[in-house]
Amino acid sequence: MKISVIRDDITRQEVDAIVNAANESLLGGGGMDGTIHRAAGPELKEECKTLDGCPTGEARVTKGYKLPTDFVIHTVGPVWKGGGQNEEQLLASCYHESLKKADERKLTSVAFPNISTGVYGFPKRKAAEVALKAVKEYREQNKTHIEKLVFVCFDEENYTIYNELLKED
Ligand code: AR6
């Protein structure tokens, strides 16, 4: 599993699955979630309605509809409340659970956004450290089908942080 970083819009990624930073209702929202729903078309929301939501730290899978990706893995990141509410463990769980869902379907390429670092307010550097640690742990502990994992950063700050952390690796 090769880990890389790009600066782009996640809805443009031609991978087997993109991960959506959703909320527990799974019925859409603002930020990237809204962009994904607009790009996928209304059928995505129809399928999401059948899922009955998703608890924070877990993940659910739908088809990608009009997106250039076969699947969307919807995961719900924690809202940052200062760090004492299990936020880091819950964020790590989003990455683990999303990778598990991709592996269950034998997918080979997955694009991740910077979960929780927008509206949910998770400090970006800490979130990037948690994300990288989580995916590397997953890679060490599992026999994965995933060959390509790309972190798609939308804002310059996240892109800079991920480049720094990946260089240190
Ligand atoms: N492609 C990739 N990354 C993006 C895009 C995009 N098109 N648009 C924004 N980002 P956020 P959260 C980055 O707020 O913090 C929604 O309303 C953005 O720069 O989308 O997990 C949901 O329904 C930021 O770094 O997600 C939830 O209610 C990152 O994506 C809530 O927001 C995450 O920003 C989830 O909040």
Side-chain angles (χ1 to χ4, degrees):
M1 185 171 105
K2 189 176 175 321
I3 301 170
S4 60
V5 58
I6 56 166
R7 186 166 179 206
D8 204 352
D9 177 337
I10 200 156
T11 60
R12 289 162 27 93
Q13 304 312 305
E14 293 181 9
V15 286
D16 293 341
I18 63 170
V19 176
N20 178 21
N23 59 62
E24 288 190 340
S25 79
L26 294 186
L27 299 179
M32 175 202 339
D33 196 3
T35 307
I36 287 176
H37 275 269
R38 273 192 300 278
E43 284 169 301
L44 177 60
K45 191 166 176 184
E46 290 308 310
E47 186 176 354
C48 283
K49 280 183 190 163
T50 68
L51 298 176
D52 202 23
C54 175
T56 301
E58 293 188 19
R60 301 286 184 268
V61 185
T62 66
K63 291 191 274 185
Y65 298 99
K66 290 187 187 142
L67 288 161
T69 180
D70 294 332
F71 298 98
V72 179
I73 301 171
H74 305 262
T75 189
V76 184
V79 177
W80 180 257
K81 292 176 182 156
Q85 305 285 319
N86 228 17
E87 291 97 326
E88 290 190 36
Q89 292 86 339
L90 288 166
L91 185 61
S93 171
C94 288
Y95 286 91
H96 272 272
E97 293 300 308
S98 298
L99 288 169
K100 241 162 75 181
K101 295 285 183 204
D103 260 327
E104 280 166 16
R105 285 171 174 72
K106 299 188 168 55
L107 307 185
T108 62
S109 55
V110 183
F112 274 96
N114 309 129
I115 301 163
S116 283
T117 67
V119 184
Y120 281 1
F122 208 108
K124 290 180 179 174
R125 179 167 288 272
K126 199 182 279 293
E129 287 166 0
V130 169
L132 279 167
K133 184 164 177 268
V135 302
K136 285 179 187 167
E137 251 173 37
Y138 184 89
R139 179 170 65 181
E140 278 161 25
Q141 292 166 3
N142 297 276
K143 206 172 161 291
T144 178
H145 295 93
I146 303 160
E147 293 162 10
K148 177 182 154 185
L149 186 160
V150 54
F151 285 105
V152 182
C153 301
F154 198 60
D155 58 277
E156 187 167 356
E157 193 185 346
N158 265 316
Y159 184 62
T160 305
I161 292 168
Y162 272 83
N163 270 310
E164 274 173 29
L165 293 177
L166 280 170
K167 219 181 290 164
E168 282 170 16
D169 192 37

